[in-house]
Amino acid sequence: IGNIYCWGYGQSGAIGDGTNEPVKNLPTKVIMPDATVFSHLVPGMGSTACALDNKGLLYCWGYNSHGEGGNGSVSSTNRPT
């Protein structure tokens, strides 16, 4: 895939562009960690999105108050972590 673009509901960081804007009605590039190339987009739950990188690591972003991001936290994040 390389780059991922998201749009729609953006609160809690669901777009992955480093913002928490309520709505993005145009495709917006997800900010990837340095030297990361995404290979697959993984369907998320509600306002959470995830992607697999070319090394097999899973990154998630967005709403996470119930642990949806799978990182052991319950804090939402607006960039892939």
Side-chain angles (χ1 to χ4, degrees):
I1 292 178
N3 293 314
I4 292 177
Y5 292 81
C6 293
W7 59 92
Y9 184 73
Q11 288 184 331
S12 301
I15 302 298
D17 66 344
T19 71
N20 295 325
E21 292 181 28
V23 175
K24 297 269 186 157
N25 57 6
L26 294 173
T28 303
K29 186 177 176 182
V30 173
I31 297 173
M32 300 178 287
D34 290 338
T36 301
V37 176
F38 289 131
S39 62
H40 295 87
L41 184 60
V42 180
M45 294 177 45
S47 297
T48 305
C50 297
L52 193 64
D53 77 1
N54 60 350
K55 296 177 185 171
L57 298 174
L58 183 66
Y59 291 83
C60 295
W61 61 94
Y63 186 73
N64 190 40
S65 71
H66 302 288
E68 298 93 321
N71 63 2
S73 169
V74 291
S75 297
S76 298
T77 178
N78 59 16
R79 293 178 185 225
T81 56

